């Protein structure tokens, strides 16, 4: 698997509400090897973005450990976090609202360098900005343009440039292509993959689109209401989904062919259970076609079903080698 850059141990993030504690991220543990990508997938509201923001300490964790380069950053003070933050960056979902509309492209990309005092002179800042603009495919003629004058693809390239201008080692990609047209999505995905290879970057790639996550990820983690229900190598999860929820997600991927019209779809019925003060049972049970009474009361734990492939399904009955 290679050297581990980031390790998450029993990470929890709860939000206090009037009805109780909302379990947005509930006891997640996983590792990301250096230079690899773990894709996090699930429906809206499953806790994907909260996970990414908690890892970067944009949200403070309720409990758990986040080990980055051999240090639990949850124990780091403000001074130490200021040193760590340039190494851990984020590309946001909306390439428009994440940018200051009053700043030019050059100012937007230079801002992280100025805030973190990376460069010693204006000339050095300009050189870094010119270099990263060329790297992400932004023409120099756009330097003095404002975000509203550009299309979504170019705006997201600014977001990529802002994240990478500090030469980070770990990047959280929070649905970076979901707001873009399909043709532009492919360009940004290919850019991210090329940059990963060139700079040995490590990604946490958050998306609700399994066809996208298969294209870019080495491993996939499927989340449902704050919990991991399945995790494994990308190909294994696609070839042999071990959890009914993963099966439903895969069945929802549109296939551009006439034959696909006759493909049998997995239709989920029932109500989504609440993430506020949830019980021990499987949170997917109210919608699961194979759920039993045991699923509703027994504590859900990941079990190995294949080579580095784990599932939390109690109803799992496939044979794995």
């Amino acid at each position: 698997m290679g050297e581990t850059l980031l390790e998450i141990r029993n990470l929890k993030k709860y939000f206090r509400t009037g009805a109780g504690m909302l379990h947005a991220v509930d006891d997640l543990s996983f590792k990301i090897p250096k230079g690899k990508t773990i894709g996090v997938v699930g429906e809206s509201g499953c806790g994907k973005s909260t996970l990414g923001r908690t890892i970067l300490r944009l949200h403070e964790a309720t409990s758990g450990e986040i080990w980055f380069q051999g240090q639990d950053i949850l124990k780091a003070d403000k001074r130490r976090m200021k040193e760590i933050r340039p190494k851990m960056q984020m590309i946001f979902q909306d390439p428009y609202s994440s940018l200051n509309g009053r700043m030019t492209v050059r100012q937007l990309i230079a801002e992280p360098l100025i805030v973190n005092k990376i460069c010693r002179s204006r000339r050095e800042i300009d050189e870094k900005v010119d270099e990263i603009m060329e790297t992400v495919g932004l023409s120099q003629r756009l330097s003095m343009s404002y975000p509203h004058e550009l299309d979504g693809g170019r705006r997201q390239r600014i977001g990529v440039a802002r994240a990478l201008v500090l030469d980070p080692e770990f990047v959280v990609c929070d649905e970076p292509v979901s707001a873009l047209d399909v043709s532009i999505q492919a360009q940004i995905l290919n850019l991210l993959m090329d940059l990963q290879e060139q700079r040995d970057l490590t990604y946490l790639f958050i998306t609700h689109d399994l066809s996208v996550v298969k294209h870019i990820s080495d491993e996939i983690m499927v989340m449902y209401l704050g919990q991991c229900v399945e995790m494994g190598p990308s190909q294994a999860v696609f070839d042999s989904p071990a959890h009914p929820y993963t099966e439903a997600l895969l069945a929802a991927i549109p296939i551009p062919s006439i034959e696909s019209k006759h493909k049998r779809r997995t239709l989920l019925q029932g109500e989504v259970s609440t993430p506020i003060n949830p019980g021990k049972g499987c949170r997917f049970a109210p919608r699961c076609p194979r759920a039993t009474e045991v699923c509703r009361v027994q504590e859900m734990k990941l079990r190995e079903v294949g080579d580095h492939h784990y599932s939390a399904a109690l109803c799992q009955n496939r044979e794995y080698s």
Side-chain angles (χ1 to χ4, degrees):
M1 291 290 288
E3 175 190 356
T4 297
L5 180 73
L6 184 78
E7 181 176 358
I8 307 302
R9 300 177 185 172
N10 306 113
L11 185 65
K12 298 180 181 181
K13 176 57 184 176
Y14 299 166
F15 293 96
R16 188 177 301 278
T17 72
M21 299 301 291
L22 189 153
H23 294 213
V25 175
D26 206 353
D27 202 22
L28 295 188
S29 298
F30 59 92
K31 299 178 181 179
I32 310 181
K34 185 174 176 60
K36 300 296 183 180
T37 300
I38 182 168
V40 183
V41 298
E43 296 169 299
S44 295
C46 72
K48 306 185 299 295
S49 294
T50 302
L51 171 63
R53 290 168 184 261
T54 303
I55 290 174
L56 297 183
R57 288 192 64 180
L58 298 179
H59 293 317
E60 288 297 334
T62 301
S63 65
E65 301 174 9
I66 302 173
W67 289 84
F68 178 71
Q69 295 183 327
Q71 178 183 0
D72 182 3
I73 67 171
L74 291 183
K75 296 179 180 177
D77 56 22
K78 289 185 178 180
R79 183 175 180 180
R80 179 60 183 143
M81 278 307 301
K82 191 173 183 180
E83 298 172 358
I84 294 173
R85 286 198 185 282
K87 302 176 184 179
M88 307 176 75
Q89 291 294 301
M90 188 168 190
I91 300 171
F92 295 92
Q93 176 178 357
D94 189 339
Y96 187 66
S97 64
S98 63
L99 301 176
N100 187 337
R102 297 183 179 182
M103 300 174 73
T104 64
V105 172
R106 179 167 291 276
Q107 290 172 333
L108 287 165
I109 298 174
E111 186 181 28
L113 295 171
I114 297 170
V115 169
N116 290 279
K117 300 179 181 178
I118 301 296
C119 301
R120 288 172 287 185
S121 66
R122 186 72 223 183
R123 180 178 178 181
E124 192 175 348
I125 291 174
D126 289 338
E127 288 175 354
K128 289 276 288 184
V129 171
D130 290 341
E131 178 187 351
I132 198 66
M133 285 185 67
E134 182 178 355
T135 300
V136 302
L138 282 170
S139 173
Q140 291 296 325
R141 65 182 176 82
L142 301 175
S143 292
M144 303 309 293
S145 299
Y146 291 88
H148 73 271
E149 298 175 314
L150 306 176
D151 59 27
R154 289 192 177 95
R155 290 175 191 156
Q156 194 57 289
R157 287 177 192 269
I158 298 172
V160 174
R162 279 171 59 89
L164 299 189
V165 74
L166 295 174
D167 295 319
E169 297 187 36
F170 172 67
V171 181
V172 174
C173 305
D174 186 7
E175 303 211 37
V177 298
S178 63
L180 306 177
D181 293 339
V182 175
S183 59
I184 306 300
Q185 285 185 10
Q187 294 177 22
I188 299 299
L189 284 175
N190 290 333
L191 171 64
L192 290 172
M193 294 172 72
D194 289 344
L195 290 170
Q196 182 176 38
E197 185 175 349
Q198 295 166 14
R199 295 172 173 242
D200 198 23
L201 294 169
T202 304
Y203 291 150
L204 179 79
F205 194 92
I206 298 167
T207 182
H208 63 272
D209 190 336
L210 267 80
S211 58
V212 168
V213 84
K214 182 182 181 183
H215 184 64
I216 196 172
S217 300
D218 298 291
E219 291 193 35
I220 292 176
M221 178 169 68
V222 182
M223 285 186 67
Y224 187 79
L225 293 182
Q227 293 183 319
C228 172
V229 297
E230 184 165 354
M231 178 184 293
S234 178
Q235 199 61 49
V237 172
F238 270 79
D239 291 346
S240 302
H243 196 281
Y245 180 59
T246 308
E247 293 177 0
L249 291 178
L250 290 173
I253 298 176
I255 301 175
S257 69
I258 296 176
E259 288 78 11
S260 68
K261 292 182 178 180
H262 305 291
K263 178 183 175 182
R264 186 175 181 179
R265 299 289 184 182
T266 301
L267 299 178
L268 296 179
Q269 300 180 359
E271 294 292 327
V272 178
S273 59
T274 177
I276 299 176
N277 299 332
K280 285 187 176 181
C282 176
R283 295 175 191 177
F284 184 63
R287 304 171 71 191
C288 180
R290 300 204 295 269
T292 66
E293 283 304 312
V294 175
C295 298
R296 302 178 191 279
V297 295
Q298 186 169 325
E299 187 174 359
M300 189 188 76
K301 292 183 179 180
L302 289 173
R303 297 171 175 79
E304 190 166 10
V305 294
D307 188 19
H308 299 292
H309 188 181
Y310 301 86
S311 170
L314 298 174
C315 57
Q316 174 62 34
N317 56 12
R318 288 193 178 83
E319 293 294 327
Y320 286 84
S321 58

